[in-house]
């Protein structure tokens, strides 16, 4: 039983829809009001869409009632606006009144009501498209432009101000993708510039009420822009042609002067200028030969003859004030100054070993110009002549004889000091006797070098009194116990009162503290000036410069000497006692010696503040 | 009354010039009101609005609007002025009620109502220059329905705007492009 019922139900459920398909009749589907629009704020139209028609012919009707009124009216005009529409004429239209509209679909089986819609006419204004859109091409000085003009839709009453419309237009080249939109406000005309020459443009216009919807775009208006050459472009063409022309000319010029330009821009690389270097050999690929040829006998210099070196590297300083000193003297001075090889530790020789030697060597050194003695600067100049003595071995510079402990002779040092003396050899030769560990080194001043003070006229430059004669001793030791004092004794004190100038500044090279090979070191001082008190202001020469005074090291060991720091400009009457025995008129001569920072206890000369006492 | 004689044309033109700023204000007034209503509509659907108790008509409905657009200037302007006056008190009411409105963006609504008040005030002052008499004030509605009231205001602002623009166009006959 049950199975049968199920079967029948199944069959019926399958068959009936098929059967009923052909003959289905239902009440119509629900219609729907799609939109209502008023083009002029005086009339309006409503459209609806039908639902399913239910298989039967269906009629639609529209009913409405105004707000606060129960009276229902039916649509007065179903046809004016087309199918499924209802047109409300001016008489039926009340503005500022809500309409409640409903559409009813009716067929044989029934009807169906749409949802009601409230409509206020003034809110649904959508005008027609603007009319009479015209586009023209006009010319002005910048080129052609488009002038678009139109009219408001005929239905919209804009003349009385009932509807206020604003407009909008859009433009594009026919082949372009994007439109270019422009707002035109309430005006009915618009200009478009910057056109493409020879292009075809499309223009469209639409409008909108102040509170409403935009109209549709008007149909496109086409316009052809005539060909023209924009002035801007022609200017650029002119510039391009001109620059191309200039470029060609420049290229031609450069081509003509190719080689010189190349030389200027890419200077040739100088080839190697190695003496003995044979490029050809290198090219041949025999490096051994090439390099062998480079080996020159003279390199590296093996000579330790410092004399040679000294000669080689000596630089003569010519003071501009020193007009009167012939330069030849300098060489002799140099020769006098040079000391022998460093190895001679104990020789005690000075650069000019004996005064006789010195005299020989420096015989012609005397200053020929006595008048120059009157110049203090000469001294300086004289000193300056010693200044630039350079040693080939910088380390050796100081005192090649340092180890010797000898006194370095001071050729020419004092020569200008002797004023008016015919004997211009005032070489303060100080022979430093062999060093004694604790002895005092005394300088013996050759007699002849020290003419008696009496013989010396007191020239008007007493400043040139030297201190040598006056200082019988010059003690230089920091630690008197260990140090060795320099003593510059005037063997002949009487004669020692000469105008010796001690150019005695030892300058210590800073670097030479330890690095001094067992060669002599020379230190030079120069007289800076003479102060009012007849004191010599001695100044150490620069590290390059060497004073004429060579200080000998007492110690045999090399490389030990004091560091002298000169106090420039500071005049110290260091050895007041020295002058004690002298004629006071001579005035003290201050030798400024550097404070010694002697590195070694022995063999150094210390600028001890103590004066050698006579 | 349109004075056609030459002597009054100048006054006419000046009147039109005076109207221009007012139309700007009235336009703005209506736009603001419309956006306000949109905000309210989004939250209170139209169907629900009908269900709520509300007055049958706006309280200004008794003010007779001209039957057609050919009404006289006097009529138009006095109507505009009357409408504006009729809304002074209700706007105050709306302004006070806005903060308590059960709406997500009632802050925006409050500020917009304040703006409406400002525009209304300035518009009223502007119109006072142009019109001498004032119409009788209308009583505010007994039942208070915020949304309904706002919709009434929207309509009335549209009226005002329309009237003024008609007046402006008429006053500037010399320059039809302003219409």
């Amino acid at each position: 039983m049950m199975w049968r019922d199920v079967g029948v139900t199944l069959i019926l459920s399958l068959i009936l829809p098929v059967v009923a398909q052909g003959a289905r009749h239902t009440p119509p589907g629900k219609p729907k009001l799609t939109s209502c629009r008023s083009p002029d704020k005086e009339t309006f139209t409503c459209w609806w869409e039908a639902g399913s028609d239910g298989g039967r012919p269906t009629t639609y009707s529209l009913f409405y009632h105004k707000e606060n009124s129960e009276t229902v009216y039916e649509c007065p005009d179903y046809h004016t606006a087309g199918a499924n529409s209802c047109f409300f004429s001016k008489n039926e239209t009340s503005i500022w009144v809500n309409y409640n509209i409903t559409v009813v679909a009716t067929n044989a089986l029934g009807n169906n009501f749409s949802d009601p819609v409230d409509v206020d006419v003034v809110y649904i204004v959508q005008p027609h498209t603007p009319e009479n859109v015209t586009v023209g091409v006009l010319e002005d000085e910048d080129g052609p432009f488009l002038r678009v003009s139109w009219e408001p839709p005929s239905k919209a009453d804009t003349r009385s101000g009932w509807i206020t419309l604003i407009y909008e237009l859009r433009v594009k080249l026919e082949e372009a993708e994007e439109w270019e939109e422009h707002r035109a406000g309430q005006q009915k005309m618009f200009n478009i510039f910057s056109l493409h020459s020879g292009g075809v443009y499309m223009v469209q216009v639409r409008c909108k009420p102040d509170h409403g919807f935009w109209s549709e775009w008007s149909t496109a208006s086409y316009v052809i822009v005539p060909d023209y050459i924009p002035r801007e472009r022609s200017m650029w063409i002119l510039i391009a042609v001109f620059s191309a022309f200039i470029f060609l000319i420049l290229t031609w010029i450069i081509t003509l002067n190719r080689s010189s330009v190349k030389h200027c821009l890419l200077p040739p690389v100088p080839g190697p200028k190695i003496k003995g270097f044979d490029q050809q050999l290198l090219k041949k690929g025999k490096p051994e030969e090439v390099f062998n040829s480079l080996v020159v006998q003279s390199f590296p210099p093996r000579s330790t003859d410092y004399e040679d070196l000294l000669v080689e590297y000596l630089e003569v300083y010519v003071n501009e004030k020193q007009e009167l000193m012939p330069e030849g003297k300098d060489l002799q001075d140099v020769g006098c100054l040079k000391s022998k090889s460093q190895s001679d530790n104990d020789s005690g020789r000075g650069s000019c070993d004996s005064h006789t030697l010195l005299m020989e060597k420096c015989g012609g050194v005397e200053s020929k110009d006595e008048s120059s003695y009157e110049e203090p600067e000469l001294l300086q100049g004289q000193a300056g002549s010693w200044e630039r003595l350079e040693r080939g071995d910088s380390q050796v510079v100081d005192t090649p004889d340092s180890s010797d402990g000898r006194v370095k002779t001071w050729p020419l040092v004092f020569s200008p000091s002797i004023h008016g003396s015919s004997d211009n050899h005032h070489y303060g030769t100080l022979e430093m006797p062999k060093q004694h560990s604790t002895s005092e080194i005394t300088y013996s001043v050759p007699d002849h070098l020290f003419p008696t003070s009496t013989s010396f006229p007191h020239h008007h430059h007493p400043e040139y009194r030297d201190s040598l004669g006056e200082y019988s001793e010059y003690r230089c030791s920091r630690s008197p116990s260990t140090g060795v004092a320099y003593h510059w004794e005037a063997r002949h004190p009487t004669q020692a009162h000469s105008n010796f100038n001690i150019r005695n500044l030892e300058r210590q090279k800073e670097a030479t503290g330890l690095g001094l090979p067992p060669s002599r070191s020379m230190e030079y001082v120069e007289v800076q000036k003479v102060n009012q008190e007849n004191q010599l202001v001695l100044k150490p020469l620069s590290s390059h410069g060497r004073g004429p005074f060579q200080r000998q090291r007492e110690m045999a060991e090399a490389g030990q000497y004091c560091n002298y720091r000169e106090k420039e400009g500071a005049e110290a009457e260091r050895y007041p006692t020295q002058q004690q025995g002298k004629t006071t008129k001579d005035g003290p001569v201050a030798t400024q010696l550097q404070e010694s920072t002697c590195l070694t206890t022995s063999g150094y000369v210390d600028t001890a503040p103590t004066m050698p006492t006579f | 009354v349109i004075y056609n004689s030459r002597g009054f044309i100048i006054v006419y033109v000046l009147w039109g010039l005076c109207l221009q700023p007012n139309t700007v204000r009235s336009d703005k007034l209506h736009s603001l009101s419309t956006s306000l209503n949109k905000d309210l509509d989004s939250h209170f659907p139209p169907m629900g609005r009908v269900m709520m108790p509300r007055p049958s008509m706006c309280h200004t409905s008794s003010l007779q609007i001209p039957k057609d657009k050919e009404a006289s200037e006097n009529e138009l302007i006095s109507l505009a002025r009357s409408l504006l006056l009729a809304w002074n008190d209700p706007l105050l009411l709306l302004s006070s009620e806005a903060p308590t409105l059960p709406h997500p963006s009632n802050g925006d609504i409050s500020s917009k109502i304040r703006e409406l008040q400002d525009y209304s005030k300035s518009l009223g002052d502007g119109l006072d220059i142009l019109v001498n008499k004032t119409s009788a004030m209308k009583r505010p509605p007994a039942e208070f329905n915020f949304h309904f009231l706002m919709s009434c205001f929207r309509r009335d602002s549209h009226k005002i705007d329309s009237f003024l623009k008609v007046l402006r166009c008429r006053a500037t006959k010399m320059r039809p492009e302003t219409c």
Side-chain angles (χ1 to χ4, degrees), chain A residues 129-249:
Chain A
T129 68
E131 295 172 5
N132 261 353
V133 178
T134 62
V135 185
V137 180
L138 298 180
E139 291 277 343
D140 79 346
E141 65 258 9
D142 293 327
F145 63 95
L146 293 179
R147 168 160 289 182
V148 189
S149 63
W150 57 87
E151 286 174 13
S154 53
K155 283 228 170 160
D157 181 12
T158 53
R159 273 194 304 271
S160 66
W162 185 237
I163 295 182
T164 308
L165 293 175
I166 59 173
Y167 302 95
E168 189 180 68
L169 65 102
R170 65 180 188 184
V171 184
K172 78 175 173 90
L173 277 167
E174 192 178 14
E175 55 273 8
E177 298 264 340
E178 300 285 327
W179 287 93
E180 190 182 306
E181 295 188 353
H182 302 279
R183 278 281 174 104
Q186 280 184 262
Q187 61 196 43
K188 300 175 183 63
M189 177 263 293
F190 198 80
N191 294 327
I192 299 170
F193 299 94
S194 298
L195 306 174
H196 287 101
S197 162
V200 177
Y201 282 93
M202 296 167 60
V203 179
Q204 286 185 313
V205 190
R206 67 175 183 178
C207 58
K208 172 178 111 70
D210 45 7
H211 311 287
F213 301 97
W214 281 106
S215 70
E216 298 291 335
W217 287 106
S218 66
T219 55
S221 302
Y222 291 84
V223 64
I224 297 171
V225 179
D227 292 324
Y228 72 102
I229 296 171
R231 270 184 15 167
E232 188 187 321
R233 200 172 294 176
S234 67
M235 187 178 71
W236 285 115
I237 288 169
L238 202 63
I239 288 171
V241 166
F242 191 65
S243 5
F245 185 61
I246 299 247
F247 180 70
L248 281 171
I249 289 178

Side-chain angles (χ1 to χ4, degrees), chain A residues 233-265:
Chain A
R233 200 172 294 176
S234 67
M235 187 178 71
W236 285 115
I237 288 169
L238 202 63
I239 288 171
V241 166
F242 191 65
S243 5
F245 185 61
I246 299 247
F247 180 70
L248 281 171
I249 289 178
L250 281 173
T251 310
W252 182 61
I253 288 171
I254 287 172
T255 312
L256 287 180
N257 301 341
R258 200 182 303 131
S259 60
S260 64
V261 168
K262 194 168 151 193
H263 185 80
C264 176
L265 289 176

Side-chain angles (χ1 to χ4, degrees), chain A residues 64-135:
Chain A
Y64 69 92
H65 70 93
K66 298 183 185 180
E67 70 177 67
N68 301 328
S69 164
E70 293 298 327
T71 317
V72 176
Y73 301 94
E74 194 179 349
C75 171
D77 187 338
Y78 286 104
H79 306 289
T80 307
N84 290 347
S85 71
C86 176
F87 174 75
F88 293 82
S89 65
K90 204 166 177 181
N91 294 336
E92 286 118 12
T93 306
S94 308
I95 51 175
W96 295 306
V97 171
N98 261 348
Y99 280 72
N100 190 292
I101 300 169
T102 312
V103 174
V104 180
T106 310
N107 69 2
L109 294 177
N111 54 23
N112 210 329
F113 285 81
S114 69
D115 292 331
V117 167
D118 276 325
V119 171
D120 194 331
V121 176
V122 294
Y123 299 146
I124 54 165
V125 181
Q126 186 182 23
H128 292 316
T129 68
E131 295 172 5
N132 261 353
V133 178
T134 62
V135 185

Side-chain angles (χ1 to χ4, degrees), chain B residues 73-88:
Chain B
E73 294 90 359
N74 260 356
E75 204 177 333
L76 291 170
I77 197 144
S78 64
L79 202 53
R81 190 74 191 91
S82 307
L83 284 167
L84 217 49
L85 278 172
W87 277 102
N88 278 347

Side-chain angles (χ1 to χ4, degrees), chain A residues 449-498:
Chain A
L449 287 181
F450 298 89
T452 58
S453 58
T454 56
S455 70
F456 279 87
H458 290 292
H459 52 82
H460 54 278
H461 290 282
E463 306 84 280
Y464 296 139
R465 305 289 179 81
D466 89 289
S467 58
L468 195 62
E470 293 164 342
Y471 306 146
S472 59
E473 281 187 356
Y474 179 73
R475 192 192 304 267
C476 163
S477 69
R478 173 161 287 180
S479 52
S481 59
T482 58
V484 177
Y486 257 152
H487 294 280
W488 302 331
E489 279 184 13
R491 294 290 169 85
H492 306 274
T494 56
Q495 296 167 352
H497 298 297
S498 61

Side-chain angles (χ1 to χ4, degrees), chain B residues 106-175:
Chain B
N106 55 0
D108 281 346
I109 288 170
S110 288
S111 59
K112 278 180 183 169
I113 291 175
R114 274 194 293 276
E115 255 188 285
L116 285 176
Q117 285 180 290
D118 294 338
Y119 277 111
S120 181
K121 172 92 171 48
S122 65
L123 190 56
D125 295 341
L127 292 179
D128 277 344
I129 299 167
L130 300 169
V131 74
N132 300 333
K133 61 178 168 116
T134 62
S135 306
M137 291 275 285
K138 293 296 167 187
R139 278 191 310 110
E143 300 122 340
F144 177 77
N145 186 315
F146 196 97
H147 200 153
F148 180 75
L149 214 49
M150 282 314 305
S151 64
C152 290
F153 183 80
R154 184 191 177 200
R155 176 185 294 170
D156 288 344
S157 62
H158 192 277
K159 288 180 191 172
I160 295 165
D161 187 44
S162 299
F163 298 156
L164 291 177
K165 280 172 181 167
V166 169
L167 284 168
R168 177 187 67 180
C169 187
R170 289 193 198 170
T172 58
K173 279 255 193 301
M174 305 296 171
R175 301 184 297 142

